[in-house]
């Protein structure tokens, strides 16, 4: 379905830019966590990076008929210092998406009756809630000089839903079967 409204298209482009930057930032911070002796927090960063890739891909796919160059304005956290500060950057970015960005983008897509954009924004919003919580728990451990537990991290490739430990039978956000989840 082609987008009908420029505002929703702008929001999709902004979200695509933000998710793309989060993807790269989490890979960079994951490498730093690994180097600093936090292999499980590194794995968490890399798993969530994959979820952010899924969000960017969804936004990009909704924009598939919007061919052409566009300037993309997107919020982003920059810098790399230490594990605690990097996790705070991740928490701040996720909370911005949860509290500010995606609620506005989702309501606009609803108002403009953009069903594909609604689904893409909803998927991202639900996953970001989990990511903020996981990064907060990781930061609590890192503040004690400890790594998180070594359980497997599962990511839904469709919506970015994230589960640690025993995987769900099917994604509670988008309904995808657990056999499609990517394990980290």
């Amino acid at each position: 379905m082609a987008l009908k409204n420029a505002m929703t298209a702008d929001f999709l482009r902004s979200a695509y830019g933000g998710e793309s930057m989060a993807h790269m930032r989490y890979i960079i911070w994951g490498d730093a966590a690994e180097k600093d002796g936090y292999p499980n927090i590194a794995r968490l960063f890399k798993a969530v990076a994959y979820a952010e890739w899924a969000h960017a891909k969804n936004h990009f796919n909704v924009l598939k008929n919007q061919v052409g160059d566009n300037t993309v304005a997107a919020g982003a956290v920059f810098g790399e210092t230490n594990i605690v500060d990097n996790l705070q950057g991740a928490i701040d970015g996720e909370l911005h998406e949860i509290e500010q960005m995606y609620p506005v983008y989702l309501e606009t897509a609803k108002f403009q009756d953009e069903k594909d954009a609604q689904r893409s924004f909803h998927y991202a919003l639900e996953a970001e809630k989990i990511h903020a919580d996981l990064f907060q728990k990781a930061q609590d451990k890192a503040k004690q000089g400890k790594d998180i537990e070594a359980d497997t991290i599962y990511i839904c490739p469709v919506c970015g839903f994230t589960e640690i430990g025993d995987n769900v039978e099917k994604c509670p956000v988008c309904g995808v079967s657990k056999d499609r989840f990517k394990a980290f």
Side-chain angles (χ1 to χ4, degrees):
M1 175 186 294
L3 286 168
K4 303 174 294 246
N5 296 283
M7 182 177 280
T8 295
D10 284 344
F11 286 168
L12 281 161
R13 283 188 284 273
S14 177
Y16 169 79
E19 297 292 358
S20 298
M21 287 187 281
H23 167 79
M24 291 307 302
R25 183 172 48 251
Y26 293 165
I27 289 172
I28 292 165
W29 286 344
D31 289 345
E34 183 88 44
K35 186 176 130 212
D36 291 344
Y38 296 91
N40 295 326
I41 293 176
R43 200 162 35 86
L44 175 63
F45 271 127
K46 291 175 182 181
V48 175
Y50 178 78
E52 305 301 357
W53 168 84
H55 300 159
K57 179 184 70 159
N58 289 340
H59 301 331
F60 188 86
N61 286 340
V62 176
L63 288 161
K64 68 183 171 201
N65 295 323
Q66 302 286 311
V67 178
D69 292 334
N70 289 277
T71 299
V72 176
V77 177
F78 288 92
E80 177 189 338
T81 56
N82 61 61
I83 188 73
V84 172
D85 289 345
N86 293 345
L87 284 162
Q88 188 61 53
I91 293 164
D92 291 346
E94 300 294 331
L95 290 177
H96 169 75
E97 291 175 335
I98 295 163
E99 296 169 357
Q100 302 288 320
M101 188 179 94
Y102 279 125
V104 171
Y105 290 4
L106 180 57
E107 286 305 311
T108 301
K110 286 178 184 176
F111 178 77
Q112 295 185 332
D113 196 33
E114 297 282 10
K115 302 289 187 214
D116 292 338
Q118 287 176 49
R119 182 176 48 256
S120 192
F121 293 148
H122 169 72
Y123 286 175
L125 177 60
E126 293 308 309
E128 305 305 15
K129 293 173 185 176
I130 298 164
H131 300 160
D133 182 59
L134 292 173
F135 284 138
Q136 183 62 64
K137 289 176 181 172
Q139 188 190 49
D140 293 344
K141 288 285 193 180
K143 283 179 179 178
Q144 301 170 23
K146 298 178 182 175
D147 201 357
I148 58 174
E149 298 298 319
D151 288 334
T152 302
I153 303 167
Y154 297 96
I155 306 290
C156 174
V158 173
C159 71
F161 171 81
T162 304
E163 181 72 22
I164 295 182
D166 291 331
N167 196 8
V168 294
E169 285 301 312
K170 71 177 195 172
C171 180
V173 176
C174 70
V176 164
S177 173
K178 77 175 186 177
D179 63 327
R180 292 192 46 206
F181 277 49
K182 184 165 179 165
F184 290 84

